[in-house]
Amino acid sequence: MVNTLAWIRTLPVTVVVCFGVISARLLITRVDYDTNPDYVTMRVRINNESVGSTVDIEGTLFVDLTQGIFAGIEVETKVDGEFTSVAGTNKELCGEADMQLDPMVALLNEELHKFGNLTFMCPYHKGFYSVSRFHMPDDHMAVTMLPAGDYCLKMDLMHQPANETKKVLLFKLTIYTTLTPSGPSVE
């Protein structure tokens, strides 16, 4: 079952460009999420606050997961009416060869860790996971490098049970946004 939040919220961000600063707004236009009820329940909420929009994610994991966990992260931009991948990665989180996090996973993991206990770090023990009031800081490199446009950030966690060849979904989260310039700022 796919859940959709179709609220438009704004998150002020600053985009740094070569010789100046351009003020911009990141509009969260929709959040879709899906979970596997055999593994996890999840709830997502967008908050409109004085600092801008934030996202709350709460979930309960029903089983311990110590192997076969894969994270997928992808950033897409809309080109000619269709979303096209800008950057992405798929990474096994529990394998011995994968002890070092991929730079994209590490970047998102660092931000998630600031807002709660939901991370891309193995193992996962059954229990409650949450991220409260998640947002990207105004000066975050991931935001300041992006030109104006429509984007989506896709994150998913998959599990490949022992002795199985197929992976099963734990959760999938897609955040749709629009980054629009709002004029130059005076320093």
Side-chain angles (χ1 to χ4, degrees):
M1 177 178 180
V2 175
N3 298 294
T4 301
L5 296 175
W7 302 324
I8 296 177
R9 302 287 191 237
T10 60
L11 175 63
V13 296
T14 303
V15 179
V16 177
V17 179
C18 292
F19 298 105
V21 177
I22 296 177
S23 179
R25 288 208 177 273
L26 185 65
L27 304 170
I28 299 173
T29 57
R30 190 172 90 213
V31 177
D32 293 345
Y33 62 103
D34 193 10
T35 62
N36 182 334
D38 293 333
Y39 284 88
V40 66
T41 60
M42 193 160 99
R43 185 179 76 135
V44 178
R45 182 178 61 240
I46 300 171
N47 308 297
N48 192 16
E49 301 181 26
S50 60
V51 296
S53 294
T54 64
V55 176
D56 292 342
I57 303 168
E58 297 176 342
T60 301
L61 181 64
F62 303 125
V63 296
D64 289 327
L65 300 171
T66 59
Q67 58 77 38
I69 306 297
F70 295 83
I73 301 171
E74 189 167 9
V75 177
E76 297 182 351
T77 187
K78 192 179 263 188
V79 177
D80 296 329
E82 304 229 359
F83 280 100
T84 303
S85 182
V86 174
T89 189
N90 286 298
K91 183 76 171 169
E92 182 176 2
L93 301 180
C94 298
E96 228 174 274
D98 297 310
M99 293 304 282
Q100 293 291 344
L101 285 180
D102 174 287
M104 187 173 218
V105 175
L107 177 74
L108 185 57
N109 197 53
E110 180 181 325
E111 290 305 313
L112 285 171
H113 185 69
K114 293 175 185 177
F115 299 94
N117 68 344
L118 177 63
T119 66
F120 286 106
M121 297 291 289
C122 194
Y124 293 94
H125 298 288
K126 60 183 169 183
F128 183 74
Y129 291 85
S130 69
V131 173
S132 295
R133 297 184 163 42
F134 174 79
H135 66 281
M136 296 298 277
D138 294 355
D139 60 351
H140 196 281
M141 175 188 70
V143 175
T144 61
M145 293 176 28
L146 298 174
D150 294 323
Y151 294 90
C152 72
L153 171 64
K154 295 180 176 182
M155 297 177 283
D156 63 58
L157 215 55
M158 305 285 285
H159 180 235
Q160 184 174 355
N163 303 319
E164 295 289 328
T165 57
K166 290 188 174 186
K167 297 174 191 164
V168 294
L169 174 75
L170 296 176
F171 77 82
K172 179 179 282 197
L173 179 69
T174 306
I175 302 172
Y176 294 90
T177 65
T178 300
L179 183 64
T180 57
S182 59
S185 63
V186 179
E187 292 190 47

